[in-house]
Amino acid sequence: MTDPNIDFSMVLASAVHDMKNSLGMLLNSLEELRSEYNQTLAGSEKFNMLQYEAERMHNDLVQLLGIYRLGENNLSAHIDEHFVPDFLEEHLARHIPLLQSLGIEYSIAAEDISGFFDEDLLTGVLNNTINNAIRYTRSKICLTARQEDGYLVLGVEDDGQGYPDNMQHSGTPSFKSLDFKSGSTSLGLFFASSVARLHTENDRSGAIRLHNGGALGGGVFEIWLP
Amino acid sequence: MNSPEPKDPVNPFGKLTFLVVDDFENFRLSMRQMLRSCGADRIELVAHATPAIQYCTYNHVDVVLCDYNLGEGKNGQHVLEELRHRKLLKRSSLFLMVTAETSKEMVMGAREYQPDAYLTKPINRAMLEQRLGSLIKQRNALHPITREIDRENYPEAISLCLHALTRQPRYKTWLMKTLGELYFLVGDLAHAQKIYDDVLHQRELSWARLGSCKVLLANRHFDQAVQGIKALIERHPDYMEAYDLLAEGLENQGRSVQAQQVLQKATEHSPNALLRQRHLAELAGTNQDIDTAAEAWRQTVVLGTHSIHDSAEHYLSLAQSLSDLGEGDSEETGAEYSAEAFSVLNRMEKRFSDDPGIGLKSRIVQCRLLAGLGRHREAENVLNSVSSELEGLDDVPVDLTLDFAKTLFRMGRVDQARHILAELAARHENEPDVLQKIENLLDEPVGFRQKLEARGMNRDGIKAFEAGDLNAAVEAFANALEIVPDHAALNLNLVQVLMKQYDLTTDPKLLEACRQRLDRLSRLPVQHRQHRRYVALTRKLKGLTA
C-alpha cells in the first residue's frame, strides 16, 4: 500500500534532522567524558573509535541534509570574506582531542589571506575531510591554504596510502558511479563538489581536486573556490 | 587536556568578565572549567534568562556565552534582544550564542539583533580557546570604534573605521559593514551608497546588495530598489532580511497586496520573528484581508510572551480583527470569534494592568462584540460608561478615538461619530496618515465584508464607465452606495456618470439625482482628499442647472 500523501523525502529529512541533533548531544557527552576522565581515556582505542564513528555519522547526516536542501533548491551560498588561517585553526581545533589521543601530528600551513566563501558550507566540507584524513593517515595531517590562479585553495593532506587511482580526478562524482560495495559511498565527495559548485564568481565556479603526493606524500584533497 | 600551544604573552582572557547561561549544570561547570584553563578568571554562571538579564543590569560583562535553548520561558534569542534593546550589553561586549544544532534555522527567526558568533555543541577546550581567542582579539582591536558607537559618537566612529581600513585590513568586512550602517544612521546616504558600491565592485556579496537597496529605498528610488531586492531573493531564497526590505519597497510603490504576499512567504520560511509577523498583520489589515491579519496577530501575541517587543497593542489589534471577523457572521464561527476576542482582551487586561488606559481600550472593543452578539443593553451600558470616561480625558490618543468612532458607528450613533472625527481631523490637519484613517472610517463605517463588497462594485462601475456602458456604471455605483452611502469617492463617481448621461439625454431628473448625491457630502471635511473634487462637481452642477 502506498499513501500518495506521504512525501517520503520530507519524512527522511525530518528523521535525519532528528538523528543529527541526537548525535550532536552524544558527541557533546563524549567530549565531556573525555575531559572528565582524561587520564583513563587517553589513548583508549575503544573510546577513540566511539568518538570517531559518531563524528563520522554526524558528518554524513549533515551532508545528507545539505544534499536534500540542494535538491529542494533551498540551499544557496552566503558568501562573505573570512580570514583563512583563523577559519582553519578553528576547524582543526574541533578534532584536536581525538588527534592527540590517536597520536596523530597536526599542523596548518596557510598564508595570511582572506577568502570569500560560505562559512557554514565549508565547515561541513572541512569536518568531513579531516575526519576522512584521520581514518586514512599514518601519522600526520596538514591543513593548507593558498591563492592560485585567482582561486582560494583549501586543502587537507595526509601521509597515508593516498587515494586509489579511480578516485583521483577533479570532476564531479555522480551518484550513479558510487560503489556501495567498497564501503565508501563518496557521499562526502559528492557534497564537497556540490558545495564547491555553489561558489561562483562571474563565470567561474568552484571545484574539488583529489590527488596524491603533497608535502606529506599521502592523499591530497583540495577545494578550489573562485 | 594539556595543550602545548604557546599562549599570547598577555593572556587575553584574564582581563575580561564572562557570563555563562545554560540550564544544564554540567554544561555550566564544564564551560567554566574550559574558560579557566584558557586563562579566564572572572566567570559568572546562571541557569536561566531572567537571572542573566538581572546580572547584566547591575554588572559589566565583556563576554556572554548563552545557550539558545534554556528550557521553559525565554530562550537565548530573547536574552540577546533584551540585552541589546535595553542597552544592558554594550556594543563592545560580545554575545555568543551556543546552539545544539548545526543549523541556525531556529535561531535565525528574529534578525533585529544578531549574536557576534555562534558556537556549535559539542565544544571542546581547543575550539573554545581558538574561537573565543580570535573573537576577543578582534574585539580588542575594534574596541576604540565600538566604544564610540556605544557613546553614540558616530562621526568619530566613522573616522576611526576609515583609519582602521588601511591599518587593519584583516577586519575589512566588519569595517565596511559597520561603515555602511553608520553612514546610513547619520543620514549620509551618498557615502553609505559608496561603501556598498565599493564592496559590490569587487564582488557580489548579499549583505552589500541589501545595504545598497536599503539606500535606494531611503532615496525613494523605489523601482530600482525593488528590482535589486527581487534579484537578490532569486539568488538567495533563504535570505530573510531581503524579504522584509522587499515588502517595504512594494509598500512604498503602493503595492500593498504584493507586499503582503512577500511577508507571508517569509513567515512560512521563518515564523518566529515577532516584528515580521506584526508587519504582516498590519499590512493584511490595510488590505482588508482580516483572516490573515487575525492569524498574524495571533502569532505576534504568542511570540510576545517572552519578548521585549511584547505590547498591549498586539492583543488589542488581535481582538479588533476578531471582532471584525465576527461582525455580520451569524453562523457559529461568529460566536467563536467573539469568544476568542473576549478571552484575548481579558488576558490583555491582566498582563498589562499597569497601563491605566487599558480597561478603556478593552471596553471599546467589548462594546462592539456585545452588539455583534445581540446583547444590546449591555453594549449600551458599556458605551455610556466609555463615553463619559472619555469626556473627562484631555488628550485622547488618535487610535483610541478612531476605535471609539468605529464603535459609535456600529451602535448607530452616527452623528456623535462624525462629530468626534471632525474634531480629530481639525486637530491633526497636517498629518496625512491620521487624515487617511479618518477618511477611511467616514467613507466606510461598516464591517470589512461589506467594505470589500462595496469596493468590488466600485471597481465594476469604473470598468463599465471606461467601457462606455453608462447604465451598468450607474447601477454598480448605486449598489455600492446602498452599502456605504457616505463614501465620498463613490458618490462623486456616480455624479460624474450621471452628468455624462445628462450630456447625452438632458433629462433633468439626472441633475436632481446629482444634487441628492452631492448634498450627502455637504459636511465633507475640508481636509478630505476628495474635497476639491466635491467642490468642482458642485460648481459644475450649478452651471448645468442655471
Side-chain angles (χ1 to χ4, degrees):
Chain A
M1 256 198 342
T2 53
D3 184 341
N5 291 323
I6 293 179
D7 175 355
F8 194 61
S9 57
M10 193 34 204
V11 175
L12 268 184
S14 312
V16 168
H17 194 80
D18 204 44
M19 288 191 278
K20 187 203 69 185
N21 292 343
S22 204
L23 269 174
M25 300 292 278
L26 187 109
L27 281 167
N28 206 37
S29 303
L30 287 179
E31 199 66 64
E32 280 170 11
L33 269 180
R34 189 186 278 284
S35 55
E36 271 174 54
Y37 301 97
N38 196 28
Q39 301 298 326
T40 340
L41 291 177
S44 155
E45 234 174 83
K46 283 178 193 157
F47 191 82
N48 287 342
M49 189 177 95
L50 196 59
Q51 193 176 14
Y52 168 79
E53 293 296 342
E55 192 73 59
R56 193 154 80 103
M57 274 195 275
H58 191 261
N59 285 333
D60 281 351
L61 296 180
V62 168
Q63 288 163 3
L64 206 54
L65 276 180
I67 290 169
Y68 169 75
R69 289 185 58 200
L70 205 60
E72 297 282 297
N73 238 339
N74 196 11
L75 192 66
S76 68
H78 289 276
I79 292 170
D80 221 330
E81 195 172 10
H82 305 281
F83 189 65
V84 177
D86 274 356
F87 180 75
L88 293 182
E89 261 183 55
E90 195 180 310
H91 289 88
L92 185 61
R94 170 171 178 165
H95 301 270
I96 286 179
L98 186 60
L99 286 164
Q100 284 179 341
S101 187
L102 291 167
I104 298 173
E105 282 176 41
Y106 51 87
S107 59
I108 290 177
E111 297 165 16
D112 269 355
I113 44 174
S114 289
F116 289 93
F117 52 88
D118 180 315
E119 199 178 3
D120 294 335
L121 291 174
L122 261 292
T123 295
V125 171
L126 266 189
N127 271 337
N128 181 60
T129 317
I130 296 172
N131 195 245
N132 242 335
I134 291 177
R135 184 173 175 185
Y136 291 108
T137 191
R138 273 192 309 117
S139 62
K140 288 181 193 142
I141 282 180
C142 181
L143 305 191
T144 64
R146 66 178 191 280
Q147 268 166 331
E148 192 175 326
D149 294 341
Y151 284 80
L152 169 70
V153 186
L154 302 181
V156 179
E157 305 186 3
D158 63 51
D159 64 347
Q161 295 270 314
Y163 291 98
D165 288 345
N166 63 347
M167 279 179 75
Q168 294 182 39
H169 57 78
S170 54
T172 310
S174 70
F175 256 139
K176 280 180 206 137
S177 69
L178 299 186
D179 184 0
F180 286 93
K181 273 183 254 167
S182 73
S184 161
T185 55
S186 304
L187 176 70
L189 292 179
F190 180 75
F191 179 73
S193 83
S194 304
V195 166
R197 272 177 300 139
L198 279 177
H199 286 76
T200 56
E201 162 71 357
N202 295 326
D203 52 349
R204 298 181 307 155
S205 65
I208 60 167
R209 286 186 193 172
L210 307 178
H211 58 95
N212 293 331
L216 301 180
V220 178
F221 167 93
E222 286 179 346
I223 182 161
W224 290 60
L225 304 167
Chain B
M1 259 168 300
N2 31 25
S3 154
E5 292 147 63
K7 282 183 185 156
D8 280 314
V10 182
N11 167 21
F13 288 76
K15 287 196 220 153
L16 305 176
T17 52
F18 294 80
L19 175 66
V20 176
V21 193
D22 198 295
D23 56 337
F24 282 103
E25 194 189 4
N26 275 344
F27 185 84
R28 290 197 299 275
L29 296 177
S30 88
M31 186 61 100
R32 181 167 67 187
Q33 183 65 31
M34 288 192 277
L35 285 170
R36 276 186 182 154
S37 73
C38 292
D41 185 30
R42 288 178 284 169
I43 308 162
E44 181 73 19
L45 309 179
V46 297
H48 296 290
T50 312
I53 292 160
Q54 183 88 359
Y55 186 81
C56 289
T57 313
Y58 298 107
N59 301 277
H60 172 81
V61 179
D62 293 307
V63 182
V64 180
L65 291 142
C66 181
D67 196 63
Y68 174 73
N69 193 345
L70 297 172
E72 293 272 302
K74 292 184 197 229
N75 61 33
Q77 183 67 30
H78 292 130
V79 176
L80 169 64
E81 276 177 25
E82 190 152 349
L83 290 182
R84 293 278 191 221
H85 193 84
R86 291 173 56 195
K87 297 196 190 300
L88 296 174
L89 192 69
K90 290 187 172 169
R91 177 83 182 248
S92 47
S93 298
L94 297 172
F95 188 102
L96 277 72
M97 189 80 81
V98 182
T99 56
E101 275 80 359
T102 1
S103 78
K104 300 173 195 161
E105 278 158 39
M106 301 233 311
V107 195
M108 276 197 2
R111 299 297 287 265
E112 192 193 0
Y113 296 103
Q114 293 198 51
D116 295 283
Y118 291 92
L119 287 180
T120 311
K121 287 181 181 177
I123 297 166
N124 64 45
R125 201 201 77 100
M127 268 169 92
L128 188 72
E129 179 165 27
Q130 203 289 324
R131 188 80 203 269
L132 206 47
S134 64
L135 283 166
I136 290 171
K137 207 159 128 195
Q138 170 169 347
R139 172 203 174 269
N140 293 343
L142 302 171
H143 191 252
I145 302 172
T146 48
R147 192 176 49 206
E148 293 309 321
I149 296 176
D150 279 329
R151 289 176 183 158
E152 298 184 26
N153 186 358
Y154 302 131
E156 181 61 23
I158 287 175
S159 94
L160 288 172
C161 279
L162 292 172
H163 273 289
L165 266 180
T166 46
R167 282 178 299 135
Q168 289 171 313
R170 184 171 165 172
Y171 304 122
K172 193 178 144 211
T173 300
W174 188 94
L175 291 168
M176 293 299 265
K177 273 184 189 170
T178 307
L179 270 174
E181 284 163 19
L182 287 173
Y183 277 130
F184 192 87
L185 212 58
V186 298
D188 186 348
L189 296 179
H191 272 101
Q193 185 68 69
K194 194 176 171 305
I195 291 290
Y196 294 127
D197 284 347
D198 281 353
V199 175
L200 291 170
H201 183 69
Q202 196 193 357
R203 197 154 184 130
E204 178 67 38
L205 294 182
S206 38
W207 64 264
R209 179 59 61 195
L210 190 76
S212 154
C213 289
K214 205 171 148 190
V215 175
L216 286 171
L217 211 56
N219 276 324
R220 309 189 67 75
H221 298 310
F222 301 136
D223 296 346
Q224 224 181 321
V226 164
Q227 210 179 353
I229 313 166
K230 276 187 176 161
L232 179 61
I233 291 177
E234 183 82 18
R235 290 192 298 274
H236 297 288
D238 50 350
Y239 193 21
M240 288 301 127
E241 289 99 321
Y243 289 76
D244 296 329
L245 198 66
L246 179 56
E248 210 184 308
L250 289 167
E251 255 181 297
N252 274 305
Q253 286 182 318
R255 293 148 88 181
S256 56
V257 175
Q258 279 105 315
Q260 181 189 330
Q261 286 163 351
V262 166
L263 286 184
Q264 272 176 290
K265 205 167 161 196
T267 48
E268 274 168 32
H269 273 293
S270 151
N272 293 329
L274 185 149
L275 297 179
R276 186 176 301 130
Q277 290 282 3
R278 183 169 81 191
H279 190 188
L280 172 59
E282 287 165 348
L283 255 177
T286 324
N287 291 336
Q288 298 298 321
D289 180 354
I290 308 298
D291 281 306
T292 306
E295 183 50 32
W297 282 125
R298 272 192 200 106
Q299 296 303 325
T300 311
V301 164
V302 171
L303 292 171
T305 315
H306 300 296
S307 168
I308 182 78
H309 297 299
D310 193 30
S311 157
E313 295 305 316
H314 305 160
Y315 288 74
L316 195 65
S317 301
L318 172 56
Q320 288 165 345
S321 307
L322 292 167
S323 150
D324 287 351
L325 282 174
E327 210 173 302
D329 181 348
S330 50
E331 307 284 310
E332 209 170 295
T333 47
E336 280 169 19
Y337 285 130
S338 304
E340 190 186 344
F342 274 119
S343 121
V344 168
L345 291 172
N346 192 4
R347 269 155 49 210
M348 174 182 81
E349 288 188 51
K350 282 193 190 127
R351 193 171 168 96
F352 300 94
S353 52
D354 293 348
D355 176 349
I358 204 74
L360 194 58
K361 291 175 188 168
S362 174
R363 272 179 296 146
I364 290 173
V365 184
Q366 281 176 31
C367 181
R368 291 206 294 276
L369 289 170
L370 290 167
L373 292 169
R375 289 152 67 177
H376 296 293
R377 190 173 302 167
E378 288 167 78
E380 282 294 334
N381 287 340
V382 173
L383 185 60
N384 290 333
S385 84
V386 169
S387 277
S388 54
E389 197 172 326
L390 275 173
E391 273 165 27
L393 291 177
D394 288 335
D395 202 16
V396 186
V398 173
D399 285 339
L400 191 68
T401 311
L402 284 169
D403 207 40
F404 180 55
K406 191 170 170 181
T407 298
L408 289 171
F409 276 122
R410 180 72 183 82
M411 300 293 287
R413 299 197 190 175
V414 178
D415 286 340
Q416 197 185 345
R418 284 200 187 132
H419 178 69
I420 66 162
L421 287 177
E423 273 183 3
L424 192 67
R427 251 185 294 146
H428 298 273
E429 57 181 350
N430 296 321
E431 293 164 60
D433 289 357
V434 178
L435 291 179
Q436 173 74 57
K437 285 180 185 166
I438 296 171
E439 280 173 29
N440 289 347
L441 196 50
L442 279 173
D443 280 351
E444 307 171 313
V446 290
F448 78 99
R449 290 194 188 82
Q450 290 130 299
K451 265 186 223 175
L452 289 178
E453 207 182 335
R455 287 180 188 186
M457 292 170 181
N458 187 24
R459 269 199 302 276
D460 292 345
I462 292 169
K463 225 180 272 168
F465 180 74
E466 281 167 356
D469 188 347
L470 298 185
N471 289 334
V474 168
E475 198 190 330
F477 289 137
N479 283 340
L481 284 165
E482 295 272 306
I483 304 171
V484 284
D486 295 315
H487 194 295
L490 256 174
N491 274 300
L492 298 176
N493 287 351
L494 181 53
V495 167
Q496 274 180 318
V497 190
L498 292 171
M499 284 179 172
K500 183 126 190 181
Q501 279 185 324
Y502 178 80
D503 285 347
L504 302 170
T505 62
T506 63
D507 181 352
K509 268 189 234 151
L510 293 167
L511 294 184
E512 173 55 21
C514 284
R515 201 186 52 75
Q516 278 177 15
R517 295 319 322 178
L518 290 173
D519 279 353
R520 275 213 88 98
L521 300 181
S522 61
R523 278 182 300 172
L524 195 69
V526 210
Q527 297 88 354
H528 201 294
R529 274 175 307 175
Q530 298 285 337
H531 192 265
R532 203 178 286 174
R533 193 173 160 216
Y534 160 74
V535 172
L537 287 171
T538 310
R539 205 171 289 147
K540 189 171 176 192
L541 182 66
K542 263 197 193 132
L544 288 173
T545 41

